[in-house]
Amino acid sequence: MKPLLLLALLPLSAFAELRVATLHPLLGELARTVGGDQVEVIDLVGPGADLHSFEPSPAHLRQLQEVALILASGKGLEPYLDSLRDNLTAGQKLVEIGASLPSLQFGGCDHPEHDHGHAGHDHGDEVEDPHWWHDISLMRRATRVVEKELAALAPEEAPGFAARSQAHQASLEELENWAALQLFAVPPGQRQLPTAHAAFAYFCAAYDFQAIPVRGLTQDHEPSAKELTTLIGQLQADGVAALFPEASSNDKMLQAISQETGIKIGGVLLADATGDVQGNPISYHQLIQHNVRQIVAALAGE
């Protein structure tokens, strides 16, 4: 992270307005929603980016010169944060949204600890699952965190931040109710969610599904031959109805499992939430609606 050292050499100009940089597209949307016209948001991570491999470039660091607040997803998603934080100048603050939210854990084998029924994994050291945004209730809590941080920087704008925050939380509650109603159509015996990588544990915990990731925390973590054999046997034993590929993911392994087991391929899910299936910008509501509809269509026979 040598480019981060450049940040310490850059003078911090007086803030002309409240500027916020974000390290996840959904956080950019959230900052704009709560901040309104009083906040200028700089998205460092654009649509279609790989969140697990992104690292700030010198051009990104130059964009941070006059930023008062940096919003990160946290929970280990951005491994470069310590270097970034160490090189911030006076008056700048970096906030990990996930630090104030409940966490699910991954075991040492890089599979979710709550992935029930899959034997053969020796869980060792655990790490946090960073994909918290798939739980709508946590996005509501994240909204309050952003409101608090913006109000601390611009107290005179706090009433506006609070009003927009409350309106957004109400909209998220409506979205949560809609998702629960749609997912009610999926029978209890069909609530298994095999996906390309371990990105949907928070979703599954919120809606009583069983998360079954083929890969681990990132797309690079491939299962061993033994793990894959165990996984295939478990999928067949559980009577899993569909396998779900993910946008921007190589689905050859899922295709191979489908051919081996006869389990159908369901609709493409949006896992890391950086864009739609084509990599275009997408709102949080659109993300949730897309995934819920794909899951219901495959598992409820619609």
Side-chain angles (χ1 to χ4, degrees), residues 55-75:
E55 187 171 303
S57 68
H60 292 129
L61 297 176
R62 286 192 292 272
Q63 290 181 285
L64 295 177
Q65 290 182 64
E66 296 184 350
V67 166
L69 177 65
I70 303 169
L71 297 177
S73 183
K75 297 190 185 297

Side-chain angles (χ1 to χ4, degrees), residues 97-120:
I97 299 295
S100 61
L101 305 176
S103 293
L104 296 177
Q105 302 294 318
F106 280 89
C109 66
D110 200 27
H111 282 68
E113 190 65 34
H114 66 284
D115 186 8
H116 307 297
H118 291 266

Side-chain angles (χ1 to χ4, degrees), residues 203-276:
F203 175 92
C204 290
Y207 295 107
D208 196 24
F209 278 69
Q210 180 184 359
I212 308 176
V214 174
R215 296 182 180 87
L217 185 62
T218 72
Q219 301 287 354
D220 295 332
H221 293 137
E222 299 282 351
S224 67
K226 180 180 178 180
E227 288 174 336
L228 188 57
T229 298
T230 300
L231 173 64
I232 289 174
Q234 193 68 51
L235 292 172
Q236 292 174 314
D238 288 350
V240 168
L243 306 169
F244 292 90
E246 300 168 11
S248 304
S249 173
N250 187 334
D251 65 355
K252 289 183 178 179
M253 187 173 295
L254 288 181
Q255 293 289 348
I257 293 174
S258 177
Q259 293 176 6
E260 175 78 15
T261 62
I263 300 172
K264 70 180 179 181
I265 299 292
V268 176
L269 301 183
L270 305 176
D272 288 335
T274 59
D276 64 14

Side-chain angles (χ1 to χ4, degrees), residues 133-134 136 175 178-179 284-292:
W133 53 85
H134 288 293
I136 304 172
L175 178 66
W178 173 86
Y284 182 70
H285 283 62
Q286 290 170 331
L287 164 80
I288 295 297
Q289 290 165 352
H290 172 90
N291 285 342
V292 167

